[in-house]
Amino acid sequence: MNAGRPAHPPMLQFPVIDDCLRIGGIPLTQLAARIGQTPFYAYDRHLLDERVALLRRTLPPAIDLHYAIKANPMPALVQHMAGLVDGLDIASLGELKIALDAGVEPSAISFAGPGKRPAELAAAIAAGITVNLESAHELETVARLGRQHNRRPSIAVRVNPDFELKTAGMKMGGGPKPFGVDAEQVPALLRRIGQLELDFRGFHLFAGSQNLRAEAIVETHDHIFGLALRLATDAPAPVRLLNVGGGFGIPYFPGDTPLELAPIAANLERWLPLVKERLPEARVVLELGRYLVGEAGAYVAEVVDRKVSRGHTFLIVNGGLHHHLAASGNFGQVIRKNYPVVVGNKVVGTEREVVTVVGPLCTPLDVLADRTELAKADIGDLIVVFQSGAYGLTASPMAFLGHPPCAEVLV
Ligand SMILES: *Cc1c(COP(=O)(O)O)cnc(C)c1O
C-alpha cells in the first residue's frame, strides 16, 4: 500500500526473536506480564548507554553533554542518565527535586524557562544551581532573593539570538520570543549583573528543537559561537559556561532520515580552538533531550476490540492520546503523520492488513496510527509505538477522560 510513498525509517533498536520484540532483552509478552498491566512505557537502559557512547566517540571530548529532563523526567531514567552525562537542565521546581534526588552536583544543574516564580528561584538559589536568566525582571528578583538569603546566586544569561535561520522551512530562532533576553539587550544586562552580588557563569543559547538536518545545526552553531564571543566582551567575569543548545532530532515519520553527527562534530572541532583562546575557562555544553532518550522508549497498549466499519478495520487499544499525545498528532504537528507502529508480539505475522489503531477515548482525535499496514492482530495482542522515549507520558493529558494510569519501566 506504500507504493511510491516514503516509508518509515526502519526501527532496528529492539531485537526481534520468534517474531516478538524484546525490550531490555525481555520478550514483550513476558515484560507485559512482569509489569502486570498494559498500557505501559518501557525504556531500554542499554540503548540510553549506547546513545551517549555514540555522542562521546563522535563529538570532540571537550564538549560536555547535558540532559534536558523535560524530555523524560521518570526518576529512574533521570538517575540513569545522571551517571552518563555531565549535567542536567531543568525547567521547574519539580524537575529540580528529581535532579537533586538523582545525586547530581548542584553546579552541574541549570534552570531555564520563562516565568520562574520567586519560590522556585529561592529554591534554586538555596540548592546552589545555575539560574538561566530569561529577563531583566528575573535578574532583579534573583539578586534580591540572594541578598535576603545571604547567598551569591549562580547565574547565566539566556540569549534570544539576533539571527533567524530558515532551513527546510523551520524557523530556528530570533524574532520576538518569550525565551531569553534579546541579544541586543544583553550588554546592558551584563553591566547590571556586574553591579550585583551574583556569580556570573556564562551564556545559554537555544535556537530550536527536532532538527534532522546536520547542515542547519552547523549553521546555527556558527551563529551561536559568533554571537557568544561578541557578547562575552561585555561579560562582568570570565565565561565558564557556554551552553550552545541542542535541537538534535530523531526520525519519526515516513521520509525522515537520522541526523548525521559527523558534520556537527567537525564544525565543533573547528570552533573549539578559538573558544579556548578567547574564553579559556569556558565549558562548552550541548543540551539534548529527545536525542538522548527518544529512541530508547516504546509505548505499549493492548488490543481490546477489533471491528470493521464500512469496510475499514479498526483496532481499539487500551491506551491512547491521554498517555501519548504526540503519537496522536496533537503535540506540535501541523499535519497528522503516523509514528512507527508494529504489533509487538507478531512483528511480521502470518497475514498483513491495513488498519487504523485508535484509543478508548470518546474523541476522534484519539488515533495512534491511521491506515497503516500491520500484522493481523487479535484481541490481547500488543501494539507498540516506537520513538516514544521523549515527550510521552508527562507531555500528555493523563487525566482526560479518567482512564487508569499508565505504567513506566526502565529495563
Ligand atoms: C526543551 C528544551 C531542550 C530539549 O529539547 P529537545 O528537542 O528534547 O532536545 C533543551 N533546551 C531547552 C532550553 C529546552 O527548553
Side-chain angles (χ1 to χ4, degrees):
M1 66 149 221
N2 271 330
R5 278 197 280 145
H8 275 105
M11 294 290 128
L12 305 172
Q13 64 269 59
F14 302 107
V16 176
I17 298 174
D18 297 334
D19 215 23
C20 184
L21 210 65
R22 294 192 176 213
I23 301 181
I26 306 172
L28 195 64
T29 45
Q30 188 187 335
L31 183 60
R34 191 190 99 171
I35 294 166
Q37 75 159 74
T38 53
F40 59 87
Y41 277 91
Y43 315 114
D44 188 323
R45 66 178 90 226
H46 176 63
L47 293 176
L48 299 172
D49 296 345
E50 276 190 349
R51 181 49 58 100
V52 175
L54 169 69
L55 288 162
R56 295 286 192 200
R57 70 174 175 266
T58 312
L59 299 175
I63 298 289
D64 279 356
L65 295 176
H66 280 201
Y67 174 48
I69 80 178
K70 80 169 190 283
N72 188 331
M74 182 210 192
L77 180 141
V78 173
Q79 176 98 46
H80 187 78
M81 295 306 293
L84 300 174
V85 297
D86 306 299
L88 298 180
D89 294 329
I90 61 154
S92 71
L93 207 49
E95 291 188 356
L96 174 60
K97 180 180 188 309
I98 293 168
L100 292 173
D101 284 351
V104 174
E105 274 295 310
S107 63
I109 301 174
S110 55
F111 182 9
K116 300 183 199 74
R117 289 170 287 116
E120 290 181 297
L121 292 169
I125 293 165
I129 66 168
T130 301
V131 175
N132 293 358
L133 297 172
E134 308 264 351
S135 75
H137 173 70
E138 200 168 88
L139 166 61
E140 298 301 330
T141 307
V142 166
R144 175 172 55 76
L145 290 167
R147 285 192 297 274
Q148 265 172 26
H149 297 280
N150 223 359
R151 307 261 310 174
R152 190 154 181 263
S154 192
I155 55 126
V157 175
R158 181 171 181 182
V159 181
N160 176 25
D162 54 4
F163 54 87
E164 201 161 307
L165 292 178
K166 281 204 167 99
T167 312
M170 174 142 83
K171 217 180 202 176
M172 293 287 298
K177 287 276 168 0
F179 311 110
V181 178
D182 291 352
E184 52 277 25
Q185 295 174 13
V186 169
L189 195 85
L190 292 170
R191 277 193 293 282
R192 180 67 183 139
I193 290 170
Q195 298 164 348
L196 296 165
E197 271 304 303
L198 297 168
D199 178 23
F200 172 79
R201 307 263 327 261
F203 298 105
H204 174 210
L205 298 102
F206 179 74
S209 190
Q210 180 49 20
N211 205 318
L212 287 173
R213 295 165 50 92
E215 62 273 37
I217 291 174
V218 163
E219 203 183 332
T220 303
H221 283 167
D222 288 347
H223 280 86
I224 282 177
F225 282 114
L227 176 58
L229 292 177
R230 259 184 289 133
L231 293 174
T233 60
D234 288 307
V239 172
R240 283 166 292 153
L241 179 70
L242 182 52
N243 180 338
V244 298
F248 291 19
I250 62 171
Y252 288 103
F253 305 119
D256 282 357
T257 50
L259 177 66
E260 259 188 278
L261 290 179
I264 298 168
N267 191 52
L268 290 170
E269 200 77 72
R270 262 198 301 279
W271 274 101
L272 283 174
L274 183 62
V275 172
K276 183 89 194 142
E277 182 196 315
R278 303 265 298 272
L279 311 174
E281 294 179 40
R283 301 293 312 175
V284 178
V285 173
L286 277 178
E287 52 170 5
L288 301 171
R290 85 179 73 229
Y291 189 79
L292 294 179
V293 299
E295 302 193 72
Y299 176 62
V300 182
E302 186 173 333
V303 178
V304 292
D305 201 355
R306 51 172 294 142
K307 61 194 264 189
V308 179
S309 167
R310 306 207 163 109
H312 191 79
T313 301
F314 290 87
L315 297 179
I316 299 155
V317 298
N318 61 359
L321 78 77
H322 53 312
H323 300 156
H324 203 333
L325 188 66
S328 78
N330 294 291
F331 187 70
Q333 280 175 249
V334 181
I335 300 163
R336 194 196 174 288
K337 294 180 198 155
N338 289 335
Y339 268 48
V341 169
V342 293
V343 183
N345 56 315
K346 290 177 186 166
V347 174
V348 178
T350 45
E351 238 181 289
R352 308 281 297 176
E353 64 178 353
V354 173
V355 295
T356 291
V357 181
V358 300
L361 305 190
C362 206
T363 158
L365 300 178
D366 195 13
V367 175
L368 287 177
D370 185 24
R371 283 159 292 169
T372 192
E373 193 198 291
L374 297 178
K376 185 164 189 228
D378 297 314
I379 290 168
D381 284 337
L382 299 172
I383 300 294
V384 173
V385 182
F386 290 110
Q387 308 300 74
S388 297
Y391 305 107
L393 193 56
T394 59
S396 301
M398 292 181 248
F400 187 38
L401 271 120
H403 283 277
C406 184
E408 275 185 296
V409 287
L410 177 68
V411 282

